[in-house]
Amino acid sequence: MAIFETIVIAFWAMLPAYVPNNAAVLAGGGRPIDGGRTWGDKRVLGDGKTWRGTAAGTTAGLALAGLLTLAANSVGSAIGVDVPEFTFPAALGLAAGAMLGDILASFLKRRSGRQRGAMFPGLDQLDFVVVSLPLTALLATDWFVDVFTWDVIAVVVILTPVLHVTTNVIAYKLGLKNEPW
Ligand code: CTP
Ligand code: K
Ligand code: MG
């Protein structure tokens, strides 16, 4: 596969996993998932992981997967790249997996003594990849094997931190996010 094609497919296939975190930032608030509970002297997840943010993020990812599926044929022929359609299990694995990865990362941050909003380089940028890809492979194995070839996975691992840093700096400058990570 040509490198341009690989990058386009990696970006396209990951969009339903990229959007949930940003949607959660916009929609977040209300009751925290851990209900304020602590484990030892630390919160389990913290106030930054809310039911509303998680539901909105997952919904946004699913909705985007639906839109991309509708657009796949026309976008594909316009740019000459065979971009994939999403099955429901694939969309769910990507969107819910991204939210779950972010939640697990917060769990690890609290366990390691980091306050809400603290930076955890590496984990902050790749948490959602680490969970969304295996979950998608589990829920939509045939689709996953088809779309996420090794070269696509390699591009995802390189592209994701770059996009993550960029969008978070923009969200921070726009005043949507408290920290630029
Ligand atoms: N958010 C949410 N629910 C989620 C994820 C995010 O409501 N499942 C919202 C919260 O308002 C959160 C903001 O999006 O503060 C930014 O997300 P993130 O950076 O992941 O959370 P932090 O507040 O930095 O908390 P943590 O240290 O636990 O990552
Ligand atoms: K995060
Ligand atoms: Mg944060």
Side-chain angles (χ1 to χ4, degrees), residues 13-30:
M14 283 302 285
L15 269 175
Y18 288 150
V19 156
N21 283 287
N22 300 302
V25 172
L26 297 178

Side-chain angles (χ1 to χ4, degrees), residues 3-180:
I3 185 69
F4 169 72
E5 202 179 342
T6 310
I7 292 172
V8 170
I9 289 176
F11 181 66
W12 178 279
M14 283 302 285
L15 269 175
Y18 288 150
V19 156
N21 283 287
N22 300 302
V25 172
L26 297 178
R31 193 174 152 72
I33 294 172
D34 69 6
R37 275 184 282 275
T38 55
W39 181 6
D41 57 352
K42 297 169 190 100
R43 284 286 291 274
V44 178
L45 300 173
D47 286 330
K49 303 297 113 144
T50 68
W51 288 111
R52 196 166 82 204
T54 308
T58 308
T59 306
L62 288 174
L64 183 62
L67 288 176
L68 293 175
T69 297
L70 291 176
N73 272 333
S74 36
V75 172
S77 43
I79 63 175
V81 178
D82 199 9
V83 289
E85 298 181 352
F86 295 85
T87 63
F88 182 74
L92 189 65
L94 291 165
M99 288 282 83
L100 197 59
D102 181 54
I103 289 167
L104 284 173
S106 290
F107 176 77
L108 293 177
K109 287 189 203 174
R110 301 300 92 83
R111 283 305 93 202
S112 61
R114 289 171 170 82
Q115 297 295 324
R116 172 187 181 184
M119 159 167 88
F120 198 148
L123 193 68
D124 276 327
Q125 288 74 37
L126 284 169
D127 52 18
F128 55 100
V129 176
V130 169
V131 177
S132 65
L133 292 195
L135 188 63
T136 307
L138 201 71
L139 295 179
T141 309
D142 292 346
W143 184 90
F144 183 84
V145 170
D146 230 39
V147 175
F148 282 92
T149 51
W150 287 110
D151 51 348
V152 170
I153 293 176
V155 168
V156 167
V157 170
I158 296 165
L159 183 71
T160 301
V162 176
L163 284 173
H164 191 272
V165 169
T166 313
T167 50
N168 282 325
V169 167
I170 293 171
Y172 173 72
K173 296 236 190 244
L174 290 175
L176 299 172
K177 221 173 171 297
N178 295 328
E179 310 87 18

